[in-house]
Amino acid sequence: MLGRPLFLVFFIINLFFLSSAKAQDNAQTLKVPEVLIQEEKAFSRPRSIEWTVQKSKATPFFSVSASEESFNSLNGVQSRSQGSPTFSIRGSGQSGRVLLLLNDIPLNFGSGFGAPPLFLPREMIENITVIKGPASLFYGSQAMSGSLNFHTKDVLRPELTVVLSDTDESFLPWKKFSLSQRSLHLATPLISNSKDHLQISYFNEVDAGDFAFQSPDFSGVRTQNASDLSRVLINGHSKREWVHWQYEALYGELSRESPGSLQFPFLTEEETQSLLLSVSPHFFFTNSQSLKSRLSYLKNDSEFKESGTSTQTDQSTFISQNEWIVDLVPNIHLQFFADFFSHNLESPFIGGSKNQSLFEVGPFISFKSFYSLKHQLGARYLAYNEKILPTISQIYEMKNSQLWLTYSQGFRNPTLSDLYSNTPNFIGNTDLIPEESTQWELGYQWSLIRPGIKHNLDLRIFRIDYKNFIETFQFSPVVFSRENRGKGSSQGFDFEWMSEISHYKPYLRYNYLETREDRTGSPFRLSPRHQLTFGSQREFRRFTFEWQNTHWYKNYDWINNQPVKLKDWQQWNFFIHTSIAKNTKLSLGLINAFNEAKELSRFYPEPQRRYWLSFNHIF
């Protein structure tokens, strides 16, 4: 209820405070070091100055419906589509512990289920910046276990993309001559010149949702997963002598069904409308000093239908992000963050309307000393929790490589659903206390660039200690709740090798993860011991061929408060991209080619094989 008045008040305050700024256009900014060597866009620069992140470029695969498959190929990142949407980094488990962002805009609401699907325009994604481990210093306490920042592309000419996709169940007798999925995407620039860029994008996707599955306990056809999604995105940026502007406006509608788990099949229908509005002025006072502010308002209203009853759930979030950037001397760079978050959740499930507000401030300084040693120090103060989260990084820079040691702390308040939910199947726990995390990471990056040859090596060793870890437990045979489960730890290492030799691009990724909950001595749920991905891309004169294998070993889930070992699984993906005419591209793909039983979570089987065809034309 407070979202709209607060939005107007903070918008007026920010504009009044910033209106006196006058400066020049050539303020210095630093760039994030990348695993992939490429030029960073000025308008999509991540909020962190220089941090040991991993950056992944999108492929045409991100435009298909089953984009969750591609996230599982990111080193140390897991995702699943059935059940509650879950993104996990290094065993963190819940999507609420990993913050998702769109062009630096936090997308997680107060419900704890992460970003609603309408707010992730995968049809417009150009690349993703991943921070593994606590990213609370840069993005706030919701980034307790890491962040995935999705950056949209600039559309320079009108384009049309049509994707047709099918799965195994279409070959069953009652599904002949029908497609399981189809999508249409239209995008065009409205204004495009050296100073201004404004574009609009429309996306529609229809998914029948049915797929065959085979698990150790059940087999059959998973039905009643149908969905219909429509989304409009208008965004752009402007560049003036002393101020740069970035703005986003997104509206989407989603209609879908959910059959529940195989163990508890409760069919629900959902109608959702989502809205995002964001404006970000970046004022340059002098050559070495600037102020960037962002005001964002997000709203997600859903109507749930179950057993003939209808329930309305409304979520809104107002965010004010402010960032002062200054170069004190050539080798000292300072940023100061001041952020305000206000989450509101209104639903009969929690007994009315609840609000959760957070005010967080903190500095971050980067400077160099002798022998190419760089120091990065920062802290975020959580005003309402009276908590300080320090972040420290020591980086030794060499000619083609860098070695670093980082220490960072994360923090997350129980969500409004965790505290107040009251449904026949889930009961909130008002005695929950916040979660905390601490991570150490030792990393090494090496790059070699020669004419026609490029090699990149990324190696990281980490340990994460959790305190007051919140997990689901079975309150009674069909009723669940949350509880603090004491301490836990996650440790392991990431390894990634990527090469580019002429037109051939092989890569290898491996993640070892050892998790342990102190109370029971058992692993965290959905935390595979081994995650291995390898593949390559080969460019020919007329087409490009890609193949990829991802394998998970020793993965665990929980049932009846006991750890259950899931079956190891792997997926093989194949893609062919070719130009069939001038400005016209055709892509063919076969996803999860050889795996007969993909089960990422007990009682929530995942879709199996998917065949897809993508047609893209630039006018």
Side-chain angles (χ1 to χ4, degrees), residues 1-11 318 340 342 355 357:
M1 302 294 293
L2 298 175
R4 192 169 299 171
L6 279 174
F7 179 80
L8 295 175
V9 171
F10 274 85
F11 181 82
F318 166 74
F340 176 78
S342 178
N355 182 268
S357 296

Side-chain angles (χ1 to χ4, degrees), residues 182-326:
R182 59 185 183 274
S183 67
L184 171 70
H185 177 221
L186 293 167
T188 184
L190 301 176
I191 302 173
S192 186
N193 54 52
S194 60
K195 292 186 176 181
D196 301 284
H197 183 82
L198 178 67
Q199 62 190 26
I200 184 171
S201 164
Y202 171 76
F203 178 74
N204 176 257
E205 175 185 84
V206 177
D207 187 351
D210 302 343
F211 59 90
F213 70 92
Q214 177 71 44
S215 71
D217 302 311
F218 301 91
S219 63
V221 178
R222 183 82 161 138
T223 60
Q224 298 175 313
N225 285 276
S227 66
D228 189 339
L229 182 152
S230 296
R231 174 169 47 227
V232 176
L233 172 66
I234 302 175
N235 64 331
H237 46 77
S238 298
K239 182 178 180 181
R240 293 297 180 267
E241 182 180 357
W242 54 275
V243 60
H244 294 176
W245 291 85
Q246 185 175 344
Y247 28 85
E248 324 279 340
L250 182 150
Y251 177 78
E253 295 183 349
L254 172 64
S255 173
R256 67 178 177 182
E257 299 176 338
S258 174
S261 68
L262 298 177
Q263 186 183 25
F264 304 107
F266 296 107
L267 176 63
T268 61
E269 298 179 25
E270 177 186 356
E271 301 283 343
T272 301
Q273 295 83 40
S274 297
L275 174 68
L276 180 153
L277 298 173
S278 181
V279 59
S280 176
H282 190 171
F283 292 87
F284 298 92
F285 298 101
T286 66
N287 291 348
S288 59
Q289 186 175 174
S290 66
L291 182 63
K292 185 176 183 179
S293 182
R294 179 184 291 278
L295 295 169
S296 303
Y297 178 73
L298 295 82
K299 190 169 180 61
N300 192 70
D301 298 339
S302 299
E303 181 182 8
F304 295 91
K305 299 178 182 179
E306 179 183 2
S307 303
T309 62
S310 177
T311 303
Q312 183 73 24
T313 297
D314 297 337
Q315 297 186 83
S316 61
T317 291
F318 166 74
I319 306 169
S320 174
Q321 298 168 281
N322 302 279
E323 179 181 2
W324 178 53
I325 307 168
V326 59

Side-chain angles (χ1 to χ4, degrees), residues 418-438:
D418 291 341
L419 295 169
Y420 304 111
S421 182
N422 186 16
T423 71
N425 306 109
F426 192 88
I427 298 177
N429 181 1
T430 55
D431 294 327
L432 290 174
I433 57 179
E435 301 177 291
E436 300 180 37
S437 66
T438 300

Side-chain angles (χ1 to χ4, degrees), residues 28 30 287-289 326-334 365-368:
Q28 298 177 3
L30 299 179
N287 291 348
S288 59
Q289 186 175 174
V326 59
D327 292 312
L328 300 177
V329 295
N331 288 330
I332 301 180
H333 191 89
L334 173 68
I365 187 170
S366 174
F367 61 95
K368 290 184 178 181

Side-chain angles (χ1 to χ4, degrees), residues 24-72:
Q24 300 176 9
D25 190 24
N26 56 348
Q28 298 177 3
T29 57
L30 299 179
K31 298 179 181 179
V32 172
E34 304 167 357
V35 176
L36 300 180
I37 307 300
Q38 59 182 12
E39 186 65 25
E40 182 76 52
K41 281 189 177 181
F43 293 100
S44 63
R45 181 179 64 85
R47 194 174 190 186
S48 53
I49 312 172
E50 272 187 87
W51 200 245
T52 50
V53 303
Q54 179 174 352
K55 187 165 185 178
S56 297
K57 292 185 69 175
T59 70
F61 186 23
F62 280 97
S63 66
V64 305
S65 304
S67 61
E68 292 83 4
E69 304 281 353
S70 55
F71 293 117
N72 287 324

